[in-house]
Amino acid sequence: MLIAKALPPMPTGAELPNGKMQLLVAVTITGEEMQWSMKNRRGKLLQKLRDAGVGQISMLGRKSVVP
């Protein structure tokens, strides 16, 4: 599971009376992606997911975006 701040085109947050609320998104990732992100940082994995067109959408059974 990759948890990160929501990025467009998803809603990123909302203004509330006490300030801005930011949304977090939990994305399912493959075992290979988990291992890769432990070595290369989760921000880089999120960018790879976005570059591959997966973005912050969970798709069970999808192929890994890392070798």
Side-chain angles (χ1 to χ4, degrees):
M1 190 73 56
L2 175 67
I3 300 173
K5 290 181 183 177
L7 299 170
M10 297 231 173
T12 59
E15 282 295 328
L16 300 174
N18 291 335
K20 183 172 172 114
M21 171 188 71
Q22 292 185 324
L23 296 178
L24 297 176
V25 176
V27 182
T28 57
I29 58 175
T30 66
E32 294 88 359
E33 291 165 348
M34 173 66 81
Q35 294 302 314
W36 189 90
S37 71
M38 292 170 83
K39 296 176 187 170
N40 297 283
R41 303 182 56 95
R42 64 187 179 104
K44 287 186 179 181
L45 176 59
L46 181 55
Q47 187 59 52
K48 281 197 164 286
L49 290 166
R50 294 183 79 194
D51 292 345
V54 176
Q56 293 181 299
I57 306 294
S58 292
M59 291 184 277
L60 298 177
R62 71 167 172 77
K63 292 184 179 182
S64 177
V65 299
V66 297

